[in-house]
Amino acid sequence: MQFNFDPNQNYYSFNNNNTTPIVFIHGVGLNQTMWEPQISYFKKETTLTYDLLGHGKTPLKNNDLLMKNFTEQLFGLIKNLNIKECNLVGFSIGSLIAIEFASKYHDCLKSLTLISTTYKRSEKERQRVIDRVRLAKANKSISDLAMKRWFSDDYLTKNPKFIKNFKHQLEKHGDDHINFIKAYSLFANYEQDIKIINSIPTKTLVMTGALDPGSTPKMSKELCNDLSKATYVEIKNAKHLCSIECSDDVNFKIKKHID
């Protein structure tokens, strides 16, 4: 993969094979490298990954962070790359960004895939996330808790080296820590507008892990019901990061949806 900065200092990788691009949006606290299993699988397709504002090597210049900052970032990136239409894939907060993007720029989309999306959270479910934000603000490590939510016990046991490197991404310092808190707070407090959901005309795949404790199958089923052209898929024996733990299954379903 070749990485570059666009004129707005967005750090991205664009693999152009002259097909309709598949654009991937990563989760909070991570960066575009989380999509390596997908980039490898779709190596004959045109793919675009990038670091969200304040993540990886993309700077965040705003004092405040709003969802529209993320949607404008994506629109500016694909405009600079002269992408007229794409297949958009979002994970976790990336799914929320993808939904907002689809409501404003659906003419740019051929398809939409939403993986591990929070939707209609109860007060108790929302409070759990807010509590984790408070731990992070207090500089207390939340990476061990994250791994247990994101991967099955079997995967954690069998892949210790990978998990160690993955946890390292969540250990933030300096400006990275400040930016992480901004993004995590946005994710924790964000509420979807059902009118926006109902207005999206794009063919959509809604996918989640059967064992995901935060972006539950119940949430994804309700989201699927509120979208006009959606299909629901559940990944067996997987938690939040099904795109990594069960990448073969997830990749096959993305490809089937796009095709």
Side-chain angles (χ1 to χ4, degrees), residues 24-147:
F24 297 92
I25 316 175
H26 67 78
V28 68
L30 303 176
N31 59 51
Q32 62 186 297
T33 61
M34 69 157 282
W35 296 112
E36 286 177 357
Q38 285 65 51
I39 299 307
S40 177
Y41 181 86
F42 290 104
K43 60 186 177 183
K44 294 184 179 179
E45 304 289 336
T46 298
T47 56
L48 170 63
T49 61
Y50 67 102
D51 290 344
L52 290 171
L53 295 169
H55 291 70
K57 295 185 178 180
T58 299
L60 174 61
K61 300 174 183 178
N62 298 18
N63 290 325
D64 298 318
L65 186 60
L66 304 173
M67 193 59 70
K68 71 175 184 178
N69 300 133
F70 285 130
T71 57
E72 289 170 359
Q73 177 196 17
L74 175 55
F75 183 71
L77 180 59
I78 65 173
K79 186 176 181 181
N80 282 323
L81 292 171
N82 199 31
I83 295 173
K84 305 299 183 185
E85 185 181 52
C86 68
N87 298 292
L88 188 58
V89 180
F91 163 76
S92 197
I93 195 174
S95 288
L96 304 183
I97 296 167
I99 289 170
E100 290 276 351
F101 186 88
S103 71
K104 297 176 182 177
Y105 305 109
H106 57 81
D107 289 344
C108 299
L109 299 182
K110 182 179 178 183
S111 73
L112 181 63
T113 300
L114 307 173
I115 304 173
S116 304
T117 315
T118 55
Y119 188 60
K120 293 182 178 178
R121 288 178 288 192
S122 67
E123 286 304 312
K124 186 176 180 179
E125 288 168 332
R126 184 182 303 279
Q127 189 59 49
R128 290 195 194 107
V129 187
I130 292 172
D131 289 343
R132 293 197 294 270
V133 173
R134 288 173 178 165
L135 285 174
K137 283 182 177 179
N139 287 309
K140 294 182 180 180
S141 176
I142 60 173
S143 59
D144 286 331
L145 293 172
M147 294 306 102

